[in-house]
Amino acid sequence: MSDDHDDSPIAARVRELEAILEEKGLLDAQELDRALEAWTHRASPANGFRVVARAWVDDGFRARLLQDANAALPEIGLSMGGGLQPQQLHVVENTERVHNVIVCTLCSCYPIALLGPSPTWYKSPAYRSKVVSHPREVLAQFGLTLPETTEIQVWDANAESRYLVLPRRPENTEHLTEDELTKMVTRNGLIGTAAV
Amino acid sequence: MSERYRIGDRVRTSDVDPDHHTRLPHYARGKRGTVLDRDGVHPLADLRAQGIVQEQEVYLVRFTAQELFGQGDHSVTLSLWEDYLSDE
């Protein structure tokens, strides 16, 4: 039973659960809203952009990030905590030879702490089913045509781990500051459906 | 807890379609892959959905597109609990 979670029935179930928990006095009516607001306020793609820009300018940070992302994030004041449990993060690096792309085929697992809420297409059955079997075609639909020689590695966030793509630093950006580089990074670049 | 598989080991995923919750997707059932790395120790999702917490080794397992879909030149990597795996 690893099929799609249909949005509407699950949403209805969550609403019912919330109502029952409130009725039984186990949950304060505002408690959940407050927790969600605090969480989504901190969770933004701007966090992911900072991670990438730092990795581009600091080889030591990049190495630590690729080795153990959860241990490296606090160096720039970030973490994968804030949800129900701290999530394990893997940062996967694009190179001249390898391009990485991320999906959750079972539902919509996503590094929300670093990227904010996921885009609608990420949750669509079309993306989830096709990017695992035909990544080159899917990436082309996003306007990203990779050379035939580039090896594509797809990462299915099907269990406990979350992923973030470290895009390649664009050429001729040696003169840019870390702040300026931050502005070059895009959310799709961190999912792998864009180059940067 | 000691892990059953090491990096580089060849493994085969279960081909059972259970009637309970699982995190082994259909497309990766009964397929052969290579252990890329360890991925921590986590409660087995199948049992946790039934209210039972049983911590177990999780592995990053990489499959070729050829093995999964019979076509393509890419790879797909999944996180798989030890229960989902057997020796190739």
Side-chain angles (χ1 to χ4, degrees):
Chain A
M1 277 210 324
S2 59
D3 303 314
D4 299 349
H5 301 316
D6 190 316
D7 279 349
S8 345
I10 191 76
R13 255 164 96 182
V14 169
R15 277 195 301 275
E16 275 178 39
L17 263 174
E18 267 188 74
I20 293 168
L21 289 170
E22 282 171 26
E23 198 182 295
K24 293 194 179 295
L26 294 169
L27 184 72
D28 180 281
Q30 271 86 49
E31 196 178 328
L32 209 53
D33 287 342
R34 274 198 303 268
L36 282 172
E37 263 168 44
W39 163 238
T40 50
H41 181 72
R42 288 193 305 268
S44 152
N47 295 333
F49 302 163
R50 281 176 52 211
V51 173
V52 169
R54 175 62 61 90
W56 282 346
V57 299
D58 182 340
D59 286 342
F61 177 74
R62 192 178 87 238
R64 292 189 292 280
L65 187 71
L66 296 172
Q67 177 70 35
D68 183 350
N70 292 79
L73 288 180
E75 291 183 35
I76 54 170
L78 295 173
S79 83
M80 288 296 284
L84 290 175
Q85 57 189 23
Q87 290 174 325
Q88 194 160 296
L89 179 74
H90 297 298
V91 175
V92 289
E93 184 183 32
N94 287 347
T95 64
E96 206 174 329
R97 195 182 59 80
V98 174
H99 181 87
N100 297 281
V101 62
I102 289 157
V103 64
C104 171
T105 61
L106 292 181
C107 45
S108 55
C109 297
Y110 189 75
I112 295 174
L114 300 180
L115 290 184
S118 59
T120 306
W121 59 258
Y122 184 84
K123 294 174 269 199
S124 71
Y127 175 76
R128 286 159 41 203
S129 61
K130 201 159 180 220
V131 80
V132 277
S133 59
H134 296 80
R136 218 171 270 279
E137 286 89 325
V138 171
L139 295 181
Q141 285 166 6
F142 277 92
L144 178 61
T145 305
L146 296 168
E148 284 299 317
T149 49
T150 301
E151 178 191 334
I152 299 179
Q153 296 181 353
V154 181
W155 301 82
D156 187 350
N158 67 307
E160 304 293 338
S161 287
R162 302 292 174 267
Y163 297 91
L164 187 79
V165 173
L166 175 56
R168 294 173 68 193
R169 181 173 174 163
E171 285 175 10
N172 306 315
T173 56
E174 295 77 14
H175 60 289
L176 296 182
T177 65
E178 187 176 338
D179 264 1
E180 288 167 331
L181 287 169
T182 302
K183 296 184 181 72
M184 300 196 74
V185 190
T186 64
R187 181 195 59 196
N188 286 12
L190 305 187
I191 303 172
T193 51
V196 181
Chain B
M1 196 177 313
S2 68
E3 65 270 31
R4 200 194 309 159
Y5 298 109
R6 292 187 188 164
I7 293 170
D9 279 358
R10 294 283 295 165
V11 289
R12 178 188 284 276
T13 58
S14 166
D15 58 4
V16 176
D17 187 1
D19 55 10
H20 54 69
H21 174 78
T22 184
R23 298 296 294 184
L24 174 59
H26 279 284
Y27 76 88
R29 293 209 181 126
K31 305 292 184 186
R32 292 164 303 169
T34 305
V35 175
L36 188 69
D37 209 343
R38 297 176 60 188
D39 199 25
V41 176
H42 300 281
L44 179 62
D46 306 49
L47 289 177
R48 193 167 60 173
Q50 301 168 52
I52 303 162
V53 174
Q54 188 195 98
E55 300 264 335
Q56 195 176 95
E57 291 285 338
V58 182
Y59 302 89
L60 286 176
V61 181
R62 178 164 284 171
F63 300 87
T64 64
Q66 279 292 337
E67 172 69 11
L68 294 176
F69 309 110
Q71 58 83 36
D73 55 6
H74 61 284
S75 69
V76 182
T77 306
L78 296 103
S79 293
L80 300 174
W81 272 273
E82 205 163 75
D83 256 21
Y84 300 166
L85 304 173
S86 58
D87 299 348
E88 187 186 43

